[in-house]
Amino acid sequence: MKTKNLYIGLAAAAAILIAFLMLGPLYVIQEGSQAVITRFGEIVGTRTQAGLYVKLPLIDTVTVYPKLILSLDGDAQRIPTKENQFIIVDTTTRWRITDPKLFYQSFKTLNAAYKRLSDVIDSATRTIITQNPLSEVVRTSNQINDKIRAETEAADNAADLSSQLAIDSLVNANTLVEQVTKGRRQLSIEMANEARKLAGEYGIELIDIVPRQIKYSDEMTESVYNRMITDRKQVAQAYRSWGEGKKADWLGRLEKDKNTIESEAYRRSEEIMGEADAQAAQIYAQAYSKDPGFYTFWKSMESYKNTVPNFDAAFSTNMDYFKYLYTPNAR
């Protein structure tokens, strides 16, 4: 009888244990998760470490939240800059839950947190962008100006003005852009600091806010394109100016070289002609000294050859000029 009662007691205990286990008194917190335990709507504890825990079945409720870093991609919004130029800004935010109890009291669900956090981030983004000019929003440094200055200085110091540096100097002469004092990276930090003023009240650590995309609004696009066209025309004009300058330089060099060559050729021709005349005079003198009569005869023959065919008038044959043609001795 005692043995039978013992078996009945063990069976009852086993049944109660099985029923208790079926109600789920145990729960597991996975690595990278955390939980809030509530009893009749009141928070009775939090679990931030991974492990196996016990709760009161049907009484305690376990709400699990991620412990890892989460991301929130905000909606693109139209925001005016300090110059009242409208741009479209799309941000992405990294955040995580650091106080699950405070987070539960503020939102209870992740969807509610996403909605509220999106409003906070949009407000912080709008506040910072409206306080800064467009150049601060879209640029991070002054490297473009530093590069232009370096190229211009290098072109000014270049010995060969036909180099590409000289062209870059003309192109970049008036293309310096507005100086950046903060830059997009610093503005991202300011956005995050502005949003943290409210995010901390919800048990949230906001890690950073990064502008994922920044683009011009429709009304600004046409003016930007027109400015780009103007810039390209300035570049084209710079190349044309450089080309005209090089053309004038080469034409000047060609004219100078031509004049130099012609002058040298004229000088050499005069020298050669002078030398030839001197040699001819010397030969004539030598010939005359050997036979003056023959020399006189030969020179007369050359004169007849050059002058007689061109006579267009009648002359007397008794002229001394024709003594070798018509005198008896000459015949």
Side-chain angles (χ1 to χ4, degrees), residues 67-141:
K67 197 176 180 180
L68 304 176
I69 295 176
L70 305 174
S71 64
L72 172 62
D73 295 332
D75 296 329
Q77 53 179 333
R78 188 170 179 267
I79 305 175
T81 62
K82 188 176 181 179
E83 311 98 320
N84 202 31
Q85 295 178 336
F86 284 88
I87 56 176
I88 308 299
V89 182
D90 187 5
T91 61
T92 183
T93 304
R94 295 188 304 167
W95 64 285
R96 60 187 168 196
I97 302 171
T98 55
D99 189 337
K101 179 179 179 180
L102 186 57
F103 183 85
Y104 180 86
Q105 292 173 339
S106 302
F107 304 115
K108 290 185 174 59
T109 65
L110 281 176
N111 288 335
Y114 277 124
K115 183 177 180 180
R116 177 56 183 150
L117 191 58
S118 179
D119 293 339
V120 171
I121 293 170
D122 289 347
S123 176
T125 302
R126 180 176 293 273
T127 299
I128 299 302
I129 289 181
T130 53
Q131 295 174 355
N132 292 274
L134 179 63
S135 58
E136 300 285 354
V137 178
V138 299
R139 290 169 50 205
T140 58
S141 68

Side-chain angles (χ1 to χ4, degrees), residues 221-276:
T221 301
E222 184 176 357
S223 63
V224 171
Y225 286 158
N226 291 335
R227 186 169 68 249
M228 292 172 63
I229 292 172
T230 301
D231 291 342
R232 291 300 92 192
K233 287 182 178 179
Q234 290 178 350
V235 171
Q237 183 59 41
Y239 274 92
R240 282 193 291 267
S241 298
W242 181 84
E244 290 295 330
K246 296 305 295 180
K247 174 184 175 182
D249 180 50
W250 279 107
L251 289 177
R253 292 184 185 181
L254 290 174
E255 186 66 23
K256 180 180 178 181
D257 292 344
K258 185 188 77 169
N259 293 336
T260 300
I261 293 172
E262 289 180 347
S263 176
E264 180 65 19
Y266 179 77
R267 185 186 65 81
R268 287 292 300 149
S269 67
E270 290 297 318
E271 289 180 353
I272 293 172
M273 290 176 63
E275 292 175 358

Side-chain angles (χ1 to χ4, degrees), residues 8 25 34 46 49 77 79 121 131 134 161 165 210 215 220 222 231 252 259 268 279 299 301 303 316:
I8 293 173
Q34 53 191 340
T46 59
Q49 300 297 325
Q77 53 179 333
I79 305 175
I121 293 170
Q131 295 174 355
L134 179 63
L161 293 181
L165 291 175
V210 179
K215 62 180 181 179
M220 279 193 63
E222 184 176 357
D231 291 342
N259 293 336
R268 287 292 300 149
Q279 291 180 4
K299 295 299 290 183
M301 292 299 103
S303 178
S316 173

Side-chain angles (χ1 to χ4, degrees), residues 176-243:
L176 289 178
V177 295
E178 185 178 353
Q179 287 288 107
V180 172
T181 57
K182 295 181 180 179
R184 187 173 65 239
R185 188 174 293 108
Q186 178 61 32
L187 294 188
S188 298
I189 295 175
E190 293 182 5
M191 292 177 194
N193 292 336
E194 183 71 19
R196 289 189 187 104
K197 296 177 182 179
L198 293 177
E201 300 176 0
Y202 306 134
I204 292 174
E205 178 190 1
L206 197 148
I207 299 174
D208 57 19
I209 299 176
V210 179
R212 184 173 58 179
Q213 183 182 37
I214 299 176
K215 62 180 181 179
Y216 296 114
S217 59
D218 294 339
E219 59 268 23
M220 279 193 63
T221 301
E222 184 176 357
S223 63
V224 171
Y225 286 158
N226 291 335
R227 186 169 68 249
M228 292 172 63
I229 292 172
T230 301
D231 291 342
R232 291 300 92 192
K233 287 182 178 179
Q234 290 178 350
V235 171
Q237 183 59 41
Y239 274 92
R240 282 193 291 267
S241 298
W242 181 84

